[in-house]
Amino acid sequence: MEIIFKGKRIDVPKESCLYGVQESIIETLSLGIPDTRKVIDSLDKLGKFIVSEEEFLLPELMELGFSRKEALDIKKESIGVLCADELFRKIKRELKEFPFELNRLNSREEQFEGWMPLGVLGHVTSSNDAMLPFFSSVEGILTGNINVIKTARGAHKVAMAMVEKLCEIDESLCPYFYIFPLSSKDSDMLSDMFSLCNAIAVWGSDSATQGVRKLAPNGVKIIEWGNRISFAYFTKNGVNKESLDGLALDVCVNDQQACSAPQLVYFETESKEELIEFSEKLFSALKEVSATFPLHPMTQAEEAELTTQTQLCYLDEIMGEGKLYDNRDCRLFVKFDSELCASPLYRTVIVKAISRKELIKSLRPFRSYLQSVGLACSTDEIAPLTSLLVSGGVNRITQPGLMMSGYTGEPHDGVYAMTNYVKRVSLINH
């Protein structure tokens, strides 16, 4: 199997892929912490290379089902993540100070504090984002950690290409990267891999996190970036072409594969007739926008789930408990209850009516899973609705059309990511 060992791609028998890693890590830890400014410069050069070399990463991304245009767009977006100015801004916003420096707390005291690496950071990544394994390791290397990455289905080729190129740009970073495309079924090997780590960032479902906890040694910090549910909330004053088209864009741009993509839409009403009228407007926008984006392939299990849920909604319509809008490449499930629920994804949106007084009651059972809300309302409704949504457990509020976007150093699931990858060290000088 192909792995990345100390920044270099090599081919080794699967059963011996971890051979020598522990010794290499000990040697690297003895070298000290990589220069953050030099790391940022190298990442900036990588970002420029990705955009300037048009064919770089295209085969790997297109193999994952992206069209050439989509692959080029993904490459263009990466320069924003890897730009030096943005990386400096990210560090300042998340850590408040430059890491790896012990600074006096104030001029009258002899105590010093500073951020230091955890040591070895594992990354267990999901399959819903081709760039995730590498971008997760970017946060790892910015915080001075050695990065040991377990990639998911197919994504290892993208991660390997990017790590390999970064280490060509700056060979001093080679000892800080390892990639192992192991299956979640390789429990013994994963246990050995996790034993190398001081902390493990887990991207994926509750079962993925539980699996890592089961295999990781006691004392290894587990950093959960689990699956989340995002939804939209429309009041009557927020329904217009811009907001409807924006929501459709959030749904279609990556087939709801990101946690910030809306799975459900709440429409503030107590009338079934008004709910149906709103749903027809939303479905019209969804069909129009969906036609401009190619569909990504589904696994057999995903197709089966989507078919099952569509047929169940059809049965609900027969029983008078809902309504189905199906255009093959996109669909709405209109349901006459207000319980928050997850969608089978792939451009499938659940639409429900809700009254404002019932909002927190509906959100409360899912407070640990809530992430983003696309809020469409009048200006004077923003403050009271924001208060309710935050009280219900939501971490991020934006407007339809911007649910899939973000800004540098934005909190992730309610916390600053990089603070999880460092420790606060103190020096007391008497």
Side-chain angles (χ1 to χ4, degrees), residues 65 70 255 290 293-298 328-331 346-347:
E70 287 177 311
D255 294 342
S290 182
F293 288 91
L295 282 166
H296 294 143
M298 289 182 275
R328 293 190 179 183
D329 64 339
C330 63
R331 58 211 63 80
Y346 291 97
R347 306 186 195 182

Coordinates of all heavy atoms in Angstrom, one line a residue, residues 65 70 255 290 293-298 328-331 346-347:
G65 N -15.4 11.9 -8.4 CA -16.7 12.2 -8.9 C -16.9 13.7 -9.2 O -18.0 14.0 -9.7
E70 N -15.7 21.7 -11.3 CA -15.8 21.6 -9.8 C -14.4 21.4 -9.2 O -14.1 22.0 -8.2 CB -16.7 20.4 -9.4 CG -18.2 20.7 -9.6 CD -19.0 19.5 -9.3 OE1 -18.7 18.4 -9.7 OE2 -20.0 19.6 -8.5
D255 N -24.2 18.8 -2.7 CA -25.2 17.8 -2.4 C -25.4 17.5 -0.9 O -25.6 16.4 -0.5 CB -24.8 16.5 -3.1 CG -24.9 16.6 -4.6 OD1 -25.6 17.5 -5.1 OD2 -24.3 15.8 -5.3
S290 N -30.7 23.5 -9.1 CA -30.2 22.1 -9.2 C -29.8 21.8 -10.6 O -28.8 21.1 -10.8 CB -31.2 21.1 -8.7 OG -30.7 19.8 -8.8
F293 N -26.0 22.4 -11.5 CA -25.0 21.6 -10.8 C -25.0 20.1 -11.1 O -26.1 19.5 -11.0 CB -25.1 21.8 -9.3 CG -24.7 23.1 -8.7 CD1 -25.7 24.1 -8.6 CD2 -23.4 23.4 -8.4 CE1 -25.4 25.3 -8.1 CE2 -23.1 24.7 -7.9 CZ -24.0 25.6 -7.7
P294 N -23.9 19.5 -11.5 CA -23.9 18.1 -11.8 C -24.1 17.3 -10.5 O -23.6 17.7 -9.4 CB -22.5 17.8 -12.4 CG -21.7 18.9 -11.9 CD -22.6 20.1 -11.8
L295 N -24.8 16.2 -10.6 CA -25.0 15.3 -9.4 C -23.7 14.5 -9.1 O -23.1 14.0 -10.1 CB -26.2 14.4 -9.6 CG -27.6 15.0 -9.4 CD1 -28.6 14.0 -10.0 CD2 -27.8 15.2 -8.0
H296 N -23.4 14.3 -7.9 CA -22.3 13.4 -7.5 C -22.8 12.0 -7.3 O -23.9 11.8 -6.9 CB -21.6 13.9 -6.2 CG -21.0 15.2 -6.4 ND1 -21.0 16.2 -5.4 CD2 -20.3 15.8 -7.4 CE1 -20.3 17.3 -5.8 NE2 -19.9 17.0 -7.1
P297 N -21.9 11.0 -7.6 CA -22.4 9.6 -7.5 C -22.7 9.2 -6.0 O -22.0 9.7 -5.1 CB -21.2 8.8 -8.0 CG -20.0 9.7 -7.9 CD -20.6 11.1 -8.1
M298 N -23.6 8.3 -5.8 CA -24.0 7.8 -4.5 C -23.5 6.4 -4.4 O -23.4 5.6 -5.4 CB -25.5 7.9 -4.3 CG -26.0 9.3 -4.1 SD -27.8 9.2 -3.8 CE -28.4 9.2 -5.4
R328 N -36.5 14.0 -9.3 CA -35.4 13.0 -9.6 C -34.1 13.5 -9.1 O -33.4 12.8 -8.3 CB -35.4 12.6 -11.0 CG -36.6 11.8 -11.5 CD -36.4 11.3 -12.9 NE -37.5 10.5 -13.3 CZ -37.6 9.8 -14.5 NH1 -36.6 9.9 -15.3 NH2 -38.7 9.2 -14.8
D329 N -33.6 14.6 -9.5 CA -32.3 15.1 -9.1 C -32.4 16.0 -7.8 O -31.4 16.3 -7.2 CB -31.6 15.9 -10.1 CG -32.3 17.2 -10.5 OD1 -33.5 17.3 -10.3 OD2 -31.7 18.1 -11.1
C330 N -33.7 16.3 -7.4 CA -33.9 17.1 -6.1 C -35.3 16.8 -5.7 O -36.2 16.4 -6.5 CB -33.6 18.6 -6.3 SG -34.7 19.4 -7.5
R331 N -35.5 17.0 -4.4 CA -36.9 16.6 -3.8 C -37.1 17.4 -2.5 O -36.2 17.7 -1.8 CB -37.0 15.1 -3.7 CG -36.0 14.5 -2.8 CD -35.7 13.1 -3.1 NE -35.1 13.0 -4.4 CZ -33.8 13.2 -4.6 NH1 -33.0 13.6 -3.7 NH2 -33.3 13.1 -5.8
Y346 N -28.3 14.5 -0.6 CA -28.3 14.5 -2.0 C -29.5 15.3 -2.6 O -30.3 14.7 -3.3 CB -28.3 13.0 -2.6 CG -26.9 12.4 -2.3 CD1 -26.7 11.6 -1.2 CD2 -25.8 12.7 -3.1 CE1 -25.5 11.0 -0.9 CE2 -24.6 12.1 -2.8 CZ -24.4 11.3 -1.8 OH -23.2 10.8 -1.5
R347 N -29.5 16.5 -2.1 CA -30.6 17.5 -2.6 C -32.0 17.1 -2.2 O -32.9 17.2 -2.9 CB -30.5 17.7 -4.1 CG -29.1 18.1 -4.6 CD -29.0 18.4 -6.0 NE -27.6 18.4 -6.4 CZ -27.1 18.7 -7.7 NH1 -28.0 19.0 -8.6 NH2 -25.9 18.7 -7.9

